[in-house]
Amino acid sequence: MTIILGIDPGLRITGYGVICKYHDQLSYLNSGNIRTDTAADLSVRLQLIYKGITDIIKRYSPDSVAIEQIFIAKNFNSAMKLSHARGAALSAIANLGLPVFEYAARKVKHTVVGVGNADKRQVQYMVCTLMNLQIKIPQDAADALAIAITHCYCNMKNS
């Protein structure tokens, strides 16, 4: 049995998803969002992300973590905010000694939906379908689950 934590980093909302891989079967364990107050100082927001990821890792003891790769954004400020959030998450992961794997957004969308330019609703729908969920998962959490699913599928092919 392998537990994978997927992370969709964002300064306002960082999504997370925890799944279990047993043989070739995937099952849903948990998902959610780490939200930060946009009025708070950057350092406080990054501390919340760091602490949130640390708490999730300690609660679920994942074997590995999958996170979305940084992409070149059209808006420089948005890219910087994403980089800060991603750095806080990566620091938490590294501090706890877990292996981390990175996946491009297009790769995640292609793996889960079948097309690399799928929108968030399509990813959300397919994650719920693949995980056999009867509840609607928030989009950032669904993106994180999609990243974890991608990690599992990439490793299934390589093992």
Side-chain angles (χ1 to χ4, degrees):
M1 181 173 81
T2 305
I3 297 174
I4 299 94
L5 168 62
I7 300 174
D8 179 34
L11 188 55
R12 192 171 59 85
I13 301 171
T14 291
Y16 68 89
V18 186
I19 63 174
C20 177
K21 176 185 164 195
Y22 184 69
H23 297 293
D24 285 345
Q25 297 295 319
L26 303 181
S27 58
Y28 172 86
L29 295 179
N30 195 7
S31 64
N33 295 318
I34 300 165
R35 294 178 178 274
T36 67
D37 181 356
T38 57
D41 288 339
L42 176 62
S43 61
V44 171
R45 296 173 78 185
L46 297 175
Q47 182 184 37
L48 283 170
I49 294 167
Y50 180 93
K51 183 177 179 339
I53 296 299
T54 299
D55 291 347
I56 293 161
I57 290 171
K58 287 181 177 178
R59 186 177 322 135
Y60 292 98
S61 301
D63 298 289
S64 60
V65 181
I67 191 168
E68 187 174 272
Q69 278 180 346
I70 196 79
F71 60 91
I72 305 301
K74 293 178 185 175
N75 183 322
F76 177 77
N77 287 333
S78 295
M80 287 303 296
K81 288 176 183 178
L82 175 61
S83 296
H84 288 312
R86 197 169 175 279
L90 288 170
S91 294
I93 297 162
N95 190 49
L96 294 170
L98 290 172
V100 63
F101 301 86
E102 302 177 60
Y103 297 94
R106 288 186 67 80
K107 169 82 172 165
V108 172
K109 292 174 181 181
H110 186 268
T111 300
V112 174
V113 179
V115 291
N117 63 346
D119 66 32
K120 282 188 168 279
R121 286 183 317 244
Q122 290 171 306
V123 172
Q124 185 181 35
Y125 173 80
M126 284 306 298
V127 163
C128 289
T129 300
L130 291 169
M131 294 279 95
N132 199 26
L133 299 175
Q134 303 305 313
I135 56 171
K136 187 174 181 181
I137 302 294
Q139 287 183 346
D140 295 291
D143 288 348
L145 286 166
I147 294 163
I149 291 167
T150 299
H151 178 67
C152 288
Y153 285 165
C154 287
N155 285 326
M156 283 178 188
K157 291 176 184 175
N158 295 332
S159 55

